[in-house]
Amino acid sequence: MEYSPPPFFKRGPSLLTRFAFFSLLSVVLLVSDARLSYLYVLRQVVAVVVYPMQRLSAMPGELLARVGDFFVTATQLQRDNEQLKRQSLLDAASLQTQQALTNENLHLRQLLAMRERVSREFIAADILYGARDPFTRRVVVDKGFQNGVKAGSAVVDHAGVIGQVTRVFPWLSEVTLVTDKEQAVPIQVQRSGLRGVTFGIGYDGTLELRFMPVNADIQNGDLLVTSGIDGTYPSGLPVAIVTNIERNAAYAFARITCTPAAGVNSYGQVLIVLSEEKLPENPIPADEGNAKPKKARKGATP
Amino acid sequence: MRLPSASAGAAPPQEILRPVRTSYIAITLLVALALNVLILPGFLQILRPDFIALTLIYWVVYHPRRVGFLPAWLLGLAMDVADGSLFGQHAFAYAVLMYLSILLHRRIVMFGMRHQVLHVVAILGVAQLVMLVIRLMAGADFPNVLYFAPSIVGALAWPPLFNLIRVPLRPRADPDAV
């Protein structure tokens, strides 16, 4: 006869059943997150619950840091003041030349009937912490879609490009660093004007410039700046500096390693680029027989 | 042959504790969540043990009827959002952890602290291994050996945590006692 516990010991489903149920549920979530990305809303809901907890637990540390800031010594302030004065003098000189150049540039652009560059809006954000997920290179900043941040916005600091916003929560957003695995940034070599795309390596905090021919005009120490052709990153921002080039004739492409120009591993303030550049309409019509794109193309060609 | 004594290797003497309230369990788990999402500077972040996992193991081992799979799984989802990892990754790991802890809970209580630590390091390690396999399947690289550091630190944190959770459960000294 089959043994079963008497009905007054209520035990519920067996351990294995419960385990199978919950692991199956997890697998469903994992697959739908990794492959289908349906879970945006669910993530938002859980984030609303977790967020206050995160802020609350961060509070003692912030308080401590503020107390530390309060006790800055006078010598430190004097030194900073001195340095800033010197810096502002230097900046003033370059600003004056820049003013002239901006005017000239504007004039030339108008002459050429070029599309005026959209002046981009920036929003300053603080890096709260590095994401704890050890498999990715991300940081979390304290501005979310309540502040107008959108997924896909570029993130820069004073020295160059940090990365791109990949997930937006109401008051936080996650920024994937340029050094994250397979994170791509379209670049241009500042010295030679050569275009390319850098990819993050992932594990050692460097970038790789892929698909460059062996005889490409690239040297150690070259500065790679954003080319701006993707419409996400504003053009001309430093991305990385070439540190190592392996030219092996046996391969079609050179192996070029770069280190990021911006402080991707330091914590501080960053700027999130809010407005996207309005690119002209795609001249290739999505479906044939549509008259509208044709018109746009006519206008675009000089 | 040495007789078993109350040393670190033998079973701890049975303590008489006050009954556990569900609210106390919930508070410990929430504190564990807060400790898990706490922002720590650089190196401490790598070494930080998974407090939720440890607290869950404690409750499952000593009060297996009080904490079920559902709270563990939901805490896993909260951790996934806080960490920005794949959705369901921590949830799956905590389900595995619950399964192992429930399976082993009768064994673990029979051991002394030193041997309990060995059980805990195994359970935490398997939970982390589950997460590693999930991420490798999703296309990530193996981070480095330090990835497993939280398991070891977590196991070392087991004895103090064990005592800490029990502090409010110890009977209060009766002022009228002779």
Short mmCIF file of all heavy atoms in Angstrom, two decimals, chain B residues 104-134:
data_model
loop_
_atom_site.label_atom_id
_atom_site.label_comp_id
_atom_site.label_asym_id
_atom_site.label_seq_id
_atom_site.Cartn_x
_atom_site.Cartn_y
_atom_site.Cartn_z
N LEU B 104 19.15 19.78 3.13
CA LEU B 104 20.23 19.49 4.07
C LEU B 104 19.94 19.96 5.49
O LEU B 104 20.79 19.79 6.36
CB LEU B 104 21.52 20.17 3.59
CG LEU B 104 22.13 19.65 2.28
CD1 LEU B 104 23.30 20.53 1.88
CD2 LEU B 104 22.58 18.22 2.43
N HIS B 105 18.77 20.56 5.75
CA HIS B 105 18.63 21.26 7.03
C HIS B 105 18.73 20.33 8.22
O HIS B 105 19.26 20.70 9.26
CB HIS B 105 17.35 22.10 7.05
CG HIS B 105 16.10 21.34 7.33
ND1 HIS B 105 15.33 20.80 6.33
CD2 HIS B 105 15.47 21.05 8.49
CE1 HIS B 105 14.29 20.20 6.87
NE2 HIS B 105 14.35 20.33 8.18
N ARG B 106 18.26 19.08 8.08
CA ARG B 106 18.35 18.16 9.22
C ARG B 106 19.79 17.80 9.53
O ARG B 106 20.15 17.53 10.67
CB ARG B 106 17.57 16.89 8.93
CG ARG B 106 16.08 17.08 9.02
CD ARG B 106 15.39 15.79 8.67
NE ARG B 106 14.14 16.04 7.97
CZ ARG B 106 13.04 16.46 8.57
NH1 ARG B 106 13.02 16.67 9.87
NH2 ARG B 106 11.95 16.67 7.88
N ARG B 107 20.60 17.74 8.48
CA ARG B 107 22.02 17.44 8.64
C ARG B 107 22.75 18.60 9.31
O ARG B 107 23.51 18.42 10.24
CB ARG B 107 22.62 17.29 7.25
CG ARG B 107 23.02 15.95 6.83
CD ARG B 107 23.45 16.07 5.39
NE ARG B 107 24.87 16.42 5.38
CZ ARG B 107 25.80 15.50 5.21
NH1 ARG B 107 25.49 14.24 5.03
NH2 ARG B 107 27.06 15.84 5.21
N ILE B 108 22.50 19.80 8.74
CA ILE B 108 23.31 20.96 9.12
C ILE B 108 23.18 21.25 10.61
O ILE B 108 24.16 21.54 11.29
CB ILE B 108 22.93 22.19 8.27
CG1 ILE B 108 23.27 21.94 6.81
CG2 ILE B 108 23.66 23.43 8.77
CD1 ILE B 108 22.82 23.02 5.86
N VAL B 109 21.95 21.13 11.15
CA VAL B 109 21.78 21.48 12.58
C VAL B 109 22.54 20.52 13.48
O VAL B 109 22.84 20.85 14.63
CB VAL B 109 20.29 21.50 13.00
CG1 VAL B 109 19.59 22.67 12.40
CG2 VAL B 109 19.60 20.19 12.63
N MET B 110 22.88 19.34 12.98
CA MET B 110 23.60 18.37 13.81
C MET B 110 25.08 18.69 13.92
O MET B 110 25.77 18.12 14.77
CB MET B 110 23.45 16.96 13.22
CG MET B 110 22.03 16.45 13.16
SD MET B 110 21.18 16.62 14.73
CE MET B 110 22.07 15.42 15.70
N PHE B 111 25.58 19.54 13.04
CA PHE B 111 27.02 19.83 13.04
C PHE B 111 27.34 21.05 13.89
O PHE B 111 26.48 21.88 14.16
CB PHE B 111 27.50 20.08 11.61
CG PHE B 111 27.65 18.82 10.81
CD1 PHE B 111 26.71 18.47 9.86
CD2 PHE B 111 28.74 17.99 11.01
CE1 PHE B 111 26.85 17.32 9.12
CE2 PHE B 111 28.88 16.83 10.26
CZ PHE B 111 27.93 16.50 9.33
N GLY B 112 28.62 21.11 14.26
CA GLY B 112 29.09 22.29 14.98
C GLY B 112 29.37 23.41 14.00
O GLY B 112 29.26 23.23 12.78
N MET B 113 29.75 24.57 14.55
CA MET B 113 29.94 25.76 13.73
C MET B 113 30.90 25.51 12.57
O MET B 113 30.63 25.89 11.44
CB MET B 113 30.52 26.86 14.61
CG MET B 113 29.62 28.04 14.83
SD MET B 113 28.59 28.42 13.47
CE MET B 113 27.06 28.60 14.30
N ARG B 114 32.02 24.86 12.88
CA ARG B 114 33.06 24.72 11.87
C ARG B 114 32.53 23.93 10.67
O ARG B 114 32.81 24.25 9.52
CB ARG B 114 34.27 24.01 12.48
CG ARG B 114 35.57 24.35 11.79
CD ARG B 114 36.69 23.52 12.32
NE ARG B 114 36.96 23.76 13.74
CZ ARG B 114 37.59 22.87 14.53
NH1 ARG B 114 37.95 21.69 14.04
NH2 ARG B 114 37.83 23.14 15.78
N HIS B 115 31.78 22.90 10.95
CA HIS B 115 31.27 22.08 9.85
C HIS B 115 30.06 22.71 9.18
O HIS B 115 29.83 22.50 7.99
CB HIS B 115 30.95 20.68 10.37
CG HIS B 115 32.19 19.96 10.82
ND1 HIS B 115 32.23 19.17 11.92
CD2 HIS B 115 33.44 19.97 10.32
CE1 HIS B 115 33.45 18.70 12.08
NE2 HIS B 115 34.21 19.18 11.12
N GLN B 116 29.34 23.51 9.95
CA GLN B 116 28.24 24.25 9.32
C GLN B 116 28.79 25.21 8.27
O GLN B 116 28.22 25.38 7.21
CB GLN B 116 27.48 25.05 10.38
CG GLN B 116 26.52 24.19 11.17
CD GLN B 116 25.60 25.03 12.03
OE1 GLN B 116 25.64 26.24 11.98
NE2 GLN B 116 24.78 24.35 12.81
N VAL B 117 29.95 25.81 8.60
CA VAL B 117 30.57 26.75 7.66
C VAL B 117 30.87 26.04 6.34
O VAL B 117 30.64 26.58 5.26
CB VAL B 117 31.86 27.34 8.28
CG1 VAL B 117 32.73 27.98 7.22
CG2 VAL B 117 31.51 28.35 9.35
N LEU B 118 31.31 24.80 6.43
CA LEU B 118 31.62 24.06 5.21
C LEU B 118 30.35 23.80 4.39
O LEU B 118 30.38 23.85 3.16
CB LEU B 118 32.31 22.73 5.55
CG LEU B 118 33.70 22.88 6.17
CD1 LEU B 118 34.27 21.53 6.51
CD2 LEU B 118 34.63 23.62 5.22
N HIS B 119 29.26 23.52 5.07
CA HIS B 119 28.01 23.34 4.35
C HIS B 119 27.58 24.64 3.68
O HIS B 119 27.14 24.65 2.54
CB HIS B 119 26.89 22.89 5.31
CG HIS B 119 26.95 21.44 5.65
ND1 HIS B 119 27.67 20.97 6.72
CD2 HIS B 119 26.40 20.36 5.06
CE1 HIS B 119 27.55 19.66 6.78
NE2 HIS B 119 26.78 19.26 5.78
N VAL B 120 27.73 25.73 4.44
CA VAL B 120 27.27 27.03 3.91
C VAL B 120 28.09 27.44 2.70
O VAL B 120 27.54 27.92 1.70
CB VAL B 120 27.34 28.10 5.02
CG1 VAL B 120 27.11 29.47 4.45
CG2 VAL B 120 26.32 27.81 6.09
N VAL B 121 29.41 27.19 2.75
CA VAL B 121 30.24 27.59 1.60
C VAL B 121 29.83 26.79 0.37
O VAL B 121 29.79 27.32 -0.75
CB VAL B 121 31.75 27.47 1.91
CG1 VAL B 121 32.25 26.06 1.87
CG2 VAL B 121 32.56 28.31 0.93
N ALA B 122 29.45 25.53 0.58
CA ALA B 122 29.02 24.71 -0.56
C ALA B 122 27.71 25.24 -1.14
O ALA B 122 27.59 25.40 -2.36
CB ALA B 122 28.85 23.26 -0.13
N ILE B 123 26.76 25.56 -0.27
CA ILE B 123 25.45 26.03 -0.77
C ILE B 123 25.61 27.36 -1.49
O ILE B 123 25.10 27.56 -2.60
CB ILE B 123 24.45 26.15 0.39
CG1 ILE B 123 24.15 24.77 0.97
CG2 ILE B 123 23.17 26.81 -0.08
CD1 ILE B 123 23.31 24.80 2.23
N LEU B 124 26.37 28.29 -0.87
CA LEU B 124 26.56 29.61 -1.50
C LEU B 124 27.31 29.45 -2.82
O LEU B 124 26.99 30.12 -3.81
CB LEU B 124 27.36 30.53 -0.57
CG LEU B 124 26.67 31.00 0.70
CD1 LEU B 124 27.62 31.84 1.52
CD2 LEU B 124 25.43 31.80 0.37
N GLY B 125 28.29 28.55 -2.83
CA GLY B 125 29.07 28.34 -4.06
C GLY B 125 28.21 27.81 -5.17
O GLY B 125 28.31 28.27 -6.31
N VAL B 126 27.33 26.85 -4.86
CA VAL B 126 26.45 26.31 -5.90
C VAL B 126 25.53 27.40 -6.42
O VAL B 126 25.32 27.53 -7.62
CB VAL B 126 25.65 25.11 -5.35
CG1 VAL B 126 24.55 24.72 -6.32
CG2 VAL B 126 26.56 23.93 -5.11
N ALA B 127 25.00 28.24 -5.51
CA ALA B 127 24.10 29.31 -5.95
C ALA B 127 24.84 30.26 -6.90
O ALA B 127 24.29 30.68 -7.92
CB ALA B 127 23.57 30.08 -4.74
N GLN B 128 26.10 30.57 -6.57
CA GLN B 128 26.86 31.47 -7.46
C GLN B 128 27.19 30.78 -8.78
O GLN B 128 27.21 31.42 -9.83
CB GLN B 128 28.15 31.89 -6.76
CG GLN B 128 27.94 33.07 -5.85
CD GLN B 128 29.19 33.90 -5.74
OE1 GLN B 128 30.20 33.41 -5.25
NE2 GLN B 128 29.14 35.12 -6.22
N LEU B 129 27.45 29.48 -8.69
CA LEU B 129 27.76 28.71 -9.90
C LEU B 129 26.57 28.73 -10.85
O LEU B 129 26.73 28.86 -12.07
CB LEU B 129 28.12 27.28 -9.51
CG LEU B 129 28.92 26.50 -10.54
CD1 LEU B 129 30.31 27.08 -10.66
CD2 LEU B 129 29.01 25.03 -10.12
N VAL B 130 25.36 28.62 -10.28
CA VAL B 130 24.16 28.66 -11.11
C VAL B 130 24.10 29.98 -11.88
O VAL B 130 23.86 30.01 -13.08
CB VAL B 130 22.91 28.50 -10.21
CG1 VAL B 130 21.64 28.86 -10.97
CG2 VAL B 130 22.81 27.08 -9.70
N MET B 131 24.40 31.09 -11.15
CA MET B 131 24.36 32.40 -11.80
C MET B 131 25.43 32.49 -12.88
O MET B 131 25.19 33.03 -13.96
CB MET B 131 24.55 33.50 -10.77
CG MET B 131 23.34 33.71 -9.91
SD MET B 131 23.39 35.28 -9.08
CE MET B 131 23.95 34.80 -7.50
N LEU B 132 26.60 31.93 -12.58
CA LEU B 132 27.70 31.97 -13.55
C LEU B 132 27.29 31.24 -14.83
O LEU B 132 27.48 31.75 -15.93
CB LEU B 132 28.95 31.35 -12.94
CG LEU B 132 30.17 31.30 -13.83
CD1 LEU B 132 30.68 32.69 -14.11
CD2 LEU B 132 31.27 30.47 -13.21
N VAL B 133 26.71 30.03 -14.66
CA VAL B 133 26.33 29.23 -15.84
C VAL B 133 25.28 29.99 -16.65
O VAL B 133 25.36 30.05 -17.88
CB VAL B 133 25.81 27.85 -15.38
CG1 VAL B 133 25.16 27.11 -16.54
CG2 VAL B 133 26.95 27.02 -14.82
N ILE B 134 24.32 30.62 -15.95
CA ILE B 134 23.28 31.36 -16.67
C ILE B 134 23.91 32.47 -17.50
O ILE B 134 23.59 32.65 -18.68
CB ILE B 134 22.27 31.96 -15.67
CG1 ILE B 134 21.41 30.85 -15.06
CG2 ILE B 134 21.38 32.99 -16.34
CD1 ILE B 134 20.57 31.29 -13.90
#
